Amino acid sequence: QVQLVESGGGLVQPGGSLRLSCAASGTIFSISAMGWYRQAPGNQRELVATITSGGITNYADSAKGRFTISRDNAKNTLYLQMNSLKPEDTAVYYCNSRWPGNAWGQGTQVTVSS
């Protein structure tokens, strides 16, 4: 089975930065498309950013220009660098792997508040 272990969530002030990590196992990481999703209370889970096995990235409009998704295949790790954070970024952030099956991490809480 695919296991995704997330870290890096926490409390940050508006305008601050945070770097989320997702360590993957049980998959050939280098050929798996990966993504970050988030869900705020009362809202649907929404896509934040994706990255293909070839490193092609895609971002939600809300994340463009502020967030950067990246991967380190040597470490089997996915990252989300979040800059210029806003209160509306507050959510539980989930790591996702597409191969060999659709798998999710446990989620990590990101709270943007002064």
Side-chain angles (χ1 to χ4, degrees):
Q1 74 280 7
V2 178
Q3 186 172 3
L4 307 173
V5 181
E6 301 167 339
S7 61
L11 175 65
V12 65
Q13 293 184 332
S17 297
L18 207 60
R19 181 178 169 90
L20 306 182
S21 298
C22 171
S25 62
T27 180
I28 305 177
F29 181 81
S30 62
I31 65 171
S32 178
M34 303 291 295
W36 289 98
Y37 293 71
R38 68 186 183 187
Q39 187 169 19
N43 293 343
Q44 294 182 317
R45 186 174 298 186
E46 64 178 3
L47 184 149
V48 177
T50 60
I51 184 167
T52 70
S53 60
I56 305 301
T57 59
N58 182 65
Y59 297 92
D61 287 342
S62 60
K64 290 179 181 176
R66 300 188 299 125
F67 293 3
T68 302
I69 188 171
S70 62
R71 63 195 300 158
D72 187 337
N73 288 344
K75 296 181 178 180
N76 286 1
T77 302
L78 178 74
Y79 302 99
L80 183 67
Q81 178 66 46
M82 303 186 293
N83 299 325
S84 302
L85 283 162
K86 306 173 182 179
E88 51 262 45
D89 295 318
T90 296
V92 178
Y93 284 70
Y94 298 91
C95 178
N96 173 256
S97 174
R98 303 306 301 171
W99 190 92
N102 188 33
W104 297 91
Q106 78 284 358
T108 183
Q109 177 71 47
V110 172
T111 302
V112 185
S113 176
S114 59

